[in-house]
Amino acid sequence: MKSVRRILILCIFLIVIFNIKAFASEELNTYSFETTNDNVFEFYENAVEVKKANKTQPITNTDIEEYVKLEGKKHIEEINLEKYNVSKTDFDKIMSLVFLDPEVFYINGYTSYYDSNNIMISVKLNYLMSLEEIQTYSQKIEEVVQDYLSNIDSTMNDIDKIIYTYNYVCRTCVSTDFGVTENYSIDSIARLLVDNSGEDLAYTKSYMYLLNQVNIECSLAASKEESAIWNLVKYEGDYYHVNTWASDYKGNKYDSFTYQFFLESDASYWAVNENHIGVEFEATNTQFDSTEHHVWHWVDSGTTMHFKDGFWY
């Protein structure tokens, strides 16, 4: 009887050991992704989908997003995700939120590790810079923010801040030459605010980032059909289109910017940009749509001369 019991115990032991080894030796699936400016359209669609899902059925997406960003800023080589029990499909969508965050300027891709059930085990981020460089850029960005905030006072209303921020972004960027370097495989606020160069995504993220510093809601909008990226700004309960990149003419003989696409409604913005569709918010208020407002009304003394009603200004 004792021998039978010993045999049963041995069999159970061997089965447990075999299963542990089998699990341990299970080869994880991998998926690698590298970002470019063109990916922003997919990111935007995914981000909108995640935001809508969170409104109707809150899940841990926000926790995962913040966790990845926190670990990424510390330059962690491999981030463990087992505690979240999140599928690879959902994780890819969550990473869209990470890449669209203006403060995430130090990565350009990632490699996912997931099991046979499509559940994420871990992720390795593709870092564009070292931990020391991340910290240096973060400090310089904070210095820019403090400079930006130093010119805002209690007399300024929200429209003043929206105009001031528009001017600040356009004047901070002195070159639109892309010139990809090891730190710039994708546009970022580090590129524009610190190194004073950038293209559409750098402009859009910088405008969004700075307006958020003064508690004005500003989000990113994108159109895959037009390969265009711009901002939606909320003012007095309504949304308006703002495109700093399209209105800033670096390299021309005047080196100036205009307010060509500034605080426009859907009707006005899409009259010129017909394929800008799929925007998350509707911009229906037309109060700033006239030529008087969206080009000339906003011009300040820092721009070049303009001809209006028979006079030069």
Side-chain angles (χ1 to χ4, degrees), residues 174-193:
V174 297
S175 171
T176 58
D177 294 332
F178 192 65
V180 177
T181 69
E182 59 181 347
N183 287 345
Y184 299 132
S185 64
I186 189 168
D187 258 351
S188 69
I189 65 170
R191 184 176 174 221
L192 191 144
L193 297 181

Side-chain angles (χ1 to χ4, degrees), residues 12 17 23 43 45 73 84-85 101 110 117 123 134 142 153-154 204 207 215 219-220 227 248 297:
I12 292 171
I17 291 297
F23 177 79
F43 294 161
E45 292 172 356
K73 199 163 187 177
Y84 291 106
N85 194 37
D101 189 321
Y110 62 96
N117 293 317
V123 63
I134 293 174
E142 178 57 29
D153 58 50
S154 59
T204 303
Y207 192 62
N215 300 315
S219 58
L220 181 147
S227 295
D248 195 6
H297 181 75

